[in-house]
Amino acid sequence: MTYEEALAYIASLETRGWRLGLDRMQEFARRLDLAGSLGEPGGPQFIHVAGTNGKGSVTAYLQSMLIESGYSTGSFFSPYVYDPRERIQLGRRLIPKRIFALLTEWIKPFGESMSETEFEGITEFEFKTAMGFQFWKEAEAEWVALEVGLGGRLDSTNIITPRCSVIVSIGKDHTHILGSEYSQIAEEKAGIIKPGVPVIVGQMPAEAEQKILEVAAQNGSEAWVFGRDVILDGDTVKTPQRRHEGLTPGIAGTMQAHNMALAAAAMDASGATRTLGGLQRGAKDACIPGRIQRVRREDREWLLDGAHNQESAKVLADSMRQAGDADRKVVLISGMVKGHAAQPMYSELKSLVHTAIFTPIEFHRAVEPNDLNQEVGSLFSESEVAQSVDQAIHRAIEVTRPSDLILVTGSFYLVGEIGRALSLVKEES
């Protein structure tokens, strides 16, 4: 099987949708003989990261801190932005194409063997999650920074026993699946808390924090809460165990010091911290695509960010104001995926954006750009619809000057499409 054939096979599993539940994933892991590789002593050790926003950044800080502390480090990101292999990494390298294809060919029969059972066929996300577990097992990874896909309690990644859990934030997103109240969403995210395993709790609404602390208490899990047990003071992070000075976030954005602090706390709580230097270098060198990512292409400055709900759009807007973008002409290229509330999200950006260009996204759950324009186009001074991503790019360049800013946001899928069109992908074998 070639890499291209492997991608095509995994893409064919998309038609099975997204199934929240652990019984099938547990059976899949049993058939793959992953016992001993899901957090048990002697196998890879995990730090499990959930949250509405910021979980990818925390995972990136953990990845970098673990690497700089000298560990053989795996990581799992959801979603990917530019390259499907971003999901599964070892060190700072994406899973090699050859290994991706070999693992797909090897795992495929195990997944297909379940199709005619009561468990039914494996989904795309379950397949990729299993591939990660198999890859880290064979690579003998010591630690894995593991990002949750959706929710937590019933997410496919939740078959592990981690050394520490992190719940970064709680916002109102995927409400049709996770519930409409902060407490309901928090309870789903808190499903990653395991008995006796410590949990790091980020900044969030009081209602959500209370629910998470209740679940932690029920599990006998020590909870370190940001602002109470985890203190950020300038470039110093204090945890109940240590004081870490000289930590500087390597990722741009107003919430990145907070995210970095949670990662440092998780390093302590999990027992992974070795030296202050490992955390300092790891914080500074952390990077992740599609999060307030600034590049210059076609003699224009581009800002690409995967914000797709109100909370993440507010962080994006605050970061832009902090960077001085409020004094520039900003042209927005945007599209959304169904399941997110458009009005609250775009309302956070309306004071910054002059012209909005709504474009199609190559994804089966994408919102039609005409529909999006009808719903939120009036928030901006000008709005229009492009027929393709290429047309949106050309139009944005046409209506801007070199001193202006082109903002791309609304969906990680869109950020990925435009990033590839702008040649932001680093080609690896």
Side-chain angles (χ1 to χ4, degrees):
M1 181 179 283
T2 66
Y3 173 64
E4 290 72 22
E5 288 170 341
L7 284 180
Y9 171 72
I10 294 173
S12 74
L13 303 179
E14 284 184 14
T15 58
R16 294 175 179 170
W18 190 300
R19 177 185 183 274
L20 291 175
L22 299 181
D23 56 338
R24 183 164 61 196
M25 190 67 200
Q26 289 165 339
E27 174 63 14
F28 196 21
R30 187 191 69 78
R31 294 186 182 208
L32 288 169
D33 193 24
L34 288 172
S37 304
L38 301 175
E40 298 89 345
Q45 301 299 291
F46 293 86
I47 301 178
H48 206 185
V49 185
T52 305
N53 300 304
K55 59 190 174 78
S57 296
V58 171
T59 303
Y61 284 114
L62 284 167
Q63 174 196 37
S64 190
M65 288 176 180
L66 288 165
I67 290 169
E68 294 300 329
S69 295
Y71 296 108
S72 172
T73 301
S75 52
F76 186 81
F77 292 93
S78 181
Y80 76 88
V81 181
Y82 301 132
D83 188 316
R85 296 175 300 136
E86 290 169 21
R87 285 192 184 274
I88 302 169
Q89 301 184 29
L90 185 70
R92 289 190 171 89
R93 287 186 59 82
L94 313 186
I95 179 174
K97 292 180 178 179
R98 181 179 63 86
I99 302 300
F100 188 100
L102 285 172
L103 285 178
T104 300
E105 187 170 20
W106 188 78
I107 294 171
K108 177 182 174 181
F110 292 93
E112 294 299 326
S113 71
M114 295 174 63
S115 297
E116 302 304 320
T117 71
E118 69 272 21
F119 296 104
E120 300 181 335
I122 294 299
T123 67
E124 179 196 25
F125 188 73
E126 288 166 340
F127 194 97
K128 291 174 180 175
T129 305
M131 184 188 291
F133 291 142
Q134 188 70 41
F135 178 58
W136 301 315
K137 172 187 175 180
E138 295 183 12
E140 299 183 344
E142 297 171 277
W143 284 86
V144 176
L146 185 72
E147 181 181 357
V148 165
L150 175 64
R153 181 175 65 92
L154 299 176
D155 187 76
S156 300
T157 63
N158 201 28
I159 63 170
I160 59 154
T161 301
R163 291 277 291 274
C164 179
S165 301
V166 185
I167 303 176
V168 182
S169 66
I170 299 295
K172 293 188 177 181
D173 199 14
H174 297 294
T175 54
H176 59 298
I177 297 173
L178 304 179
S180 59
E181 302 300 324
Y182 286 125
S183 60
Q184 293 175 306
I185 299 168
E187 189 167 18
E188 289 298 315
K189 307 281 187 188
I192 68 169
I193 299 173
K194 301 297 193 302
V197 175
V199 58
I200 313 301
V201 184
Q203 184 176 305
M204 62 184 64
E207 178 186 346
E209 181 184 302
Q210 180 182 349
K211 176 56 69 175
I212 291 169
L213 294 182
E214 287 175 7
V215 175
Q218 291 164 6
N219 280 276
S221 300
E222 186 177 5
W224 293 2
V225 179
F226 182 83
R228 186 190 76 183
D229 311 291
V230 180
I231 306 297
L232 176 63
D233 183 11
D235 67 353
T236 299
V237 176
K238 304 172 191 174
T239 77
Q241 289 185 0
R242 293 178 177 85
R243 174 188 176 95
H244 302 291
E245 298 178 339
L247 299 189
T248 305
I251 305 171
T254 56
M255 290 300 294
Q256 292 305 327
H258 164 271
N259 296 339
M260 175 195 71
L262 298 187
M267 290 287 291
D268 284 358
S270 65
T273 300
R274 281 177 169 168
T275 64
L276 173 61
L279 270 63
Q280 289 174 330
R281 292 189 300 273
K284 180 175 63 71
D285 293 344
C287 62
I288 185 169
R291 277 75 167 184
I292 311 186
Q293 181 181 6
R294 291 179 186 267
V295 298
R296 194 148 192 102
R297 292 287 190 279
E298 305 293 335
D299 198 28
R300 296 291 186 275
E301 184 178 351
W302 301 73
L303 173 57
L304 298 95
D305 187 81
H308 53 273
N309 54 47
Q310 184 176 11
E311 288 85 2
S312 56
K314 184 180 187 307
V315 171
L316 171 60
D318 289 345
S319 300
M320 290 175 67
R321 292 187 185 98
Q322 189 178 73
D325 295 326
D327 299 325
R328 308 169 69 182
K329 178 182 178 182
V330 177
V331 172
L332 169 69
I333 301 177
S334 194
M336 287 195 89
V337 170
K338 294 174 184 175
H340 307 291
Q343 277 283 348
M345 186 265 184
Y346 288 103
S347 292
E348 295 291 343
L349 301 172
K350 67 179 182 180
S351 65
L352 290 163
V353 171
H354 179 272
T355 302
I357 303 170
F358 297 104
T359 184
I361 303 174
E362 288 293 327
F363 187 65
H364 64 279
R365 288 193 292 109
V367 177
E368 285 294 326
N370 282 309
D371 295 341
L372 199 53
N373 188 36
Q374 283 187 343
E375 184 176 358
V376 299
S378 60
L379 292 173
F380 309 106
S381 298
E382 297 177 7
S383 71
E384 58 188 86
V385 173
Q387 300 306 308
S388 67
V389 162
D390 284 344
Q391 187 182 99
I393 290 172
H394 292 143
R395 180 61 178 155
I397 293 170
E398 185 178 54
V399 299
T400 54
R401 300 167 299 173
S403 59
D404 298 333
L405 178 69
I406 302 175
L407 170 64
V408 180
T409 195
S411 166
F412 279 113
Y413 296 102
L414 175 65
V415 169
E417 284 190 49
I418 290 188
R420 287 187 289 273
L422 296 177
S423 301
L424 299 185
V425 182
K426 294 180 180 178
E427 187 60 37
E428 291 184 5
S429 62

